[in-house]
Amino acid sequence: MNIFSLHIPSMNLILWGCVIWLPAFLYVILQNEIKFKKNISLGVTMPQEAREDAEVLAILASFKKQLAISCVLITLAAFPCIFISKIGTAMTVWMIWLLAACILPYIPYVLQHKKLKQLKADRGWRQAAPDTRTVDLSGIAYNDKWMSPIVFLIPLIVSLLPVLFDKEMAFIYLIDAAMILFCWVGYRYLYRNKAELVDDNMVLTEALTRMRRHNWGTLWLLAAWFVAILNFIMWLMGNNESMALFGVLLFSAVFVIGALYIEMKTRKLQEQLTAQSGTDFYVDEDDSWIWGQFCYIPNDARLIINNRTGMNTTINLARRSGQVLAGLLVILLLALPFVGVWMDKLETTPIGISISTEAVVSTHTGVEYEVPLDSIVHVEYVAEKPKLKRTAGTGMESVQKGRFGTPWGSASICVDPRTLPYIYLETDEGNEQTDTCGDRLLQAIGKSLCDVKNHSIFFRGGIVCRDHTIIILSDH
């Protein structure tokens, strides 16, 4: 079977638009690691003199070149993927590409970090233990108050307004509102309230601490407003799925750019404020950071640790809970390609319909529904496809499955959108009907369901597409 096609499936274009920016994003972040911030470059803490050292500059230049090559190659590798015609296969390939895009740029980082760390040892730049004067100055950070929860309450209220006008999507709007609550929790509790100690300059420490926590709050507030506006996009454009998707992708790009701007602004200020540091005493915590990226501090009981540069936080791998979380994350990342395998099963699994004297039973990846014939109270021929509005679920070209709005109300559906016409069956599960209901069903579709090709059965409780897929229109 040929899995490639000169015609580009729309889903592939969507996937391409969602991930193609990742190599460029990682290039911007990792390339910035070269610049000295808090005396750290490429994850290695060094004195002021190292900033002009020829060997140090050569290692940094080599990293920048290797990083650019890896990001360009990853980007180029993405273009053939958009011509894969089978969506399940395409998703598998895209997830493998995503894993590669997340891992490969860090290979030159780790290699050059190790070279730089060895050079540091050879030059004797490592701070000797007796000269280390790390002091707990966490009290400085308490001079600033945390942002009031009311600041997050405003976008929370805004996010709930669409619930008043669109009951079918209410569940999704409520989930997004819960995400705004998480934004406040993340701002308040996923941050280690610790002073940004670089050297013995207390004024510098306080300035760095205030600036970092301010930008940390700004990021989470931006995320809260992003979710609130996202709800309005889904509400206002809900009747046009293509426009809604375009609006979500466009606004997501705006959010990513905004978040990147705040991160780079934080790093720039750290670079400027510590430009003169490193001439005498300076904090050197390199032994607590594996490859300059992974935190491992056995004598720190806390799980959440601030990254040394930028404004993000990470987990302490010396804690058992940190190891469990890291393990789960690795498993999740390695499982990404299996998403495509699952989608391929949805795309290719045939639909079965069996008719007995008692019920209609439909199957797809499992038993989708079973409808007693004596519950049917009305049979009607439907020549045109009903209007379906996706709330949450799958929207493949060959299958629509999940929660949808329909002319009969909100429903869980599974249907092949290419299949017409339909037979509409209205049921009343609360009342027993006579056997003649089954007879009317058979007469309406040509005396035998088994002889009907590419027809569907609609009923209050479900829609069936013969030989393809199933829509379930349950009120539960």
Side-chain angles (χ1 to χ4, degrees):
M1 179 184 297
N2 185 11
I3 63 172
F4 291 94
S5 172
L6 293 179
H7 167 70
I8 302 176
S10 57
M11 181 61 72
N12 272 1
L13 288 176
I14 294 172
L15 291 172
W16 182 86
C18 288
V19 301
I20 194 61
W21 53 271
L22 183 60
F25 178 85
L26 289 177
Y27 177 81
V28 172
I29 293 293
L30 292 178
Q31 187 270 343
N32 183 263
E33 292 288 318
I34 294 174
K35 299 179 180 181
F36 279 83
K37 300 173 288 292
K38 300 169 68 174
N39 301 312
I40 301 170
S41 177
L42 217 60
V44 180
T45 307
M46 294 173 285
Q48 181 73 220
E49 64 182 281
R51 305 185 187 199
E52 303 298 330
D53 185 89
E55 289 189 60
V56 171
L57 296 178
I59 291 174
L60 298 181
S62 178
F63 164 70
K64 186 175 181 179
K65 180 179 179 180
Q66 294 174 8
L67 175 65
I69 293 173
S70 64
C71 289
V72 168
L73 291 177
I74 293 169
T75 302
L76 293 176
F79 286 93
C81 300
I82 65 177
F83 295 101
I84 300 176
S85 56
K86 289 188 61 179
I87 189 61
T89 304
M91 181 62 74
T92 301
V93 173
W94 277 117
M95 292 299 102
I96 294 173
W97 179 91
L98 187 62
L99 280 176
C102 291
I103 295 173
L104 292 182
Y106 282 92
I107 294 177
Y109 180 96
V110 171
L111 294 176
Q112 300 306 320
H113 164 84
K114 294 173 70 174
K115 286 185 180 180
L116 198 57
K117 197 169 184 179
Q118 182 61 50
L119 179 62
K120 170 186 174 179
D122 294 342
R123 295 292 180 85
W125 289 337
R126 180 176 177 178
Q127 287 277 9
D131 294 331
T132 301
R133 294 174 284 177
T134 302
V135 183
D136 184 8
L137 299 175
S138 58
I140 292 177
Y142 293 107
N143 292 338
D144 283 343
K145 294 182 179 180
W146 292 95
M147 285 192 295
S148 170
I150 295 177
V151 177
F152 289 87
L153 181 61
I154 297 173
L156 176 63
I157 294 173
V158 171
S159 73
L160 290 173
L161 292 179
V163 176
L164 302 176
F165 308 98
D166 188 359
K167 302 298 184 182
E168 289 183 354
M169 294 281 288
F171 181 69
I172 301 300
Y173 298 142
L174 292 174
I175 290 178
D176 286 348
M179 290 293 294
I180 295 178
L181 291 176
F182 175 78
C183 286
W184 178 79
V185 173
Y187 160 67
R188 189 62 182 84
Y189 297 106
L190 296 183
Y191 181 82
R192 175 74 177 275
N193 197 30
K194 178 183 177 182
E196 297 290 297
L197 183 63
V198 177
D199 51 31
D200 51 9
N201 186 336
M202 302 298 183
V203 176
L204 174 62
T205 299
E206 183 168 1
L208 288 169
T209 304
R210 290 175 180 271
M211 178 272 297
R212 178 169 186 160
R213 198 169 78 174
H214 171 77
N215 287 346
W216 173 258
T218 302
L219 176 65
W220 283 105
L221 189 58
L222 175 66
W225 276 108
F226 165 73
V227 175
I229 297 175
L230 204 62
N231 269 3
F232 268 80
I233 292 176
M234 291 189 294
W235 169 47
L236 295 175
M237 300 181 179
N239 291 327
N240 189 327
E241 188 169 304
S242 297
M243 286 297 297
L245 181 59
F246 176 77
V248 169
L249 291 178
L250 180 62
F251 192 62
S252 297
V254 172
F255 170 73
V256 170
I257 293 172
L260 181 61
Y261 170 77
I262 296 172
E263 172 69 15
M264 301 310 291
K265 178 183 176 182
T266 304
R267 293 182 176 213
K268 183 65 176 179
L269 289 171
Q270 289 172 338
E271 179 187 354
Q272 293 174 343
L273 292 172
T274 61
Q276 304 305 317
S277 182
T279 56
D280 184 18
F281 160 75
Y282 55 90
V283 174
D284 185 349
E285 299 177 328
D286 287 359
D287 290 342
S288 299
W289 291 83
I290 302 169
W291 297 337
Q293 292 288 326
F294 304 104
C295 178
Y296 190 90
I297 310 177
N299 60 354
D300 194 326
R302 300 197 183 189
L303 172 65
I304 302 298
I305 302 293
N306 293 347
N307 283 346
R308 292 186 293 174
T309 59
M311 63 176 173
N312 208 352
T313 60
T314 187
I315 57 176
N316 185 2
L317 293 177
R319 305 268 67 80
R320 180 59 58 88
S321 55
Q323 295 168 6
V324 170
L325 288 174
L328 291 175
L329 179 60
V330 170
I331 293 173
L332 180 63
L333 290 173
L334 294 178
L336 284 177
F338 293 98
V339 173
V341 176
W342 171 73
M343 292 186 69
D344 185 70
K345 182 177 178 63
L346 288 179
E347 185 181 21
T348 60
T349 299
I351 300 306
I353 299 177
S354 60
I355 310 300
S356 69
T357 57
E358 298 180 351
V360 178
V361 179
S362 298
T363 58
H364 182 216
T365 53
V367 176
E368 300 294 339
Y369 71 82
E370 182 173 352
V371 184
L373 292 182
D374 61 8
S375 68
I376 301 170
V377 296
H378 178 68
V379 181
E380 183 179 334
Y381 185 86
V382 180
E384 297 182 358
K385 178 184 174 182
K387 186 176 181 180
L388 302 175
K389 176 185 174 183
R390 181 168 57 170
T391 302
T394 301
M396 298 180 182
E397 294 180 358
S398 61
V399 59
Q400 292 177 334
K401 189 174 184 177
R403 197 72 184 173
F404 282 66
T406 76
W408 303 275
S410 181
S412 297
I413 80 167
C414 179
V415 63
D416 185 337
R418 304 167 299 181
T419 303
L420 280 173
Y422 301 119
I423 299 296
Y424 171 76
L425 306 180
E426 184 176 344
T427 67
D428 185 353
E429 297 182 359
N431 299 320
E432 291 188 3
Q433 304 297 322
T434 65
D435 292 340
T436 58
C437 293
D439 296 335
R440 292 203 304 270
L441 167 64
L442 297 179
Q443 293 172 5
I445 60 176
K447 297 184 180 180
S448 174
L449 269 171
C450 300
D451 295 332
V452 178
K453 304 297 182 182
N454 295 327
H455 280 58
S456 301
I457 308 164
F458 281 62
F459 58 94
R460 196 173 300 279
I463 302 175
V464 183
C465 294
R466 180 172 176 77
D467 298 330
H468 289 284
T469 54
I470 310 141
I471 298 181
I472 301 176
L473 296 174
S474 65
D475 293 328
H476 350 289

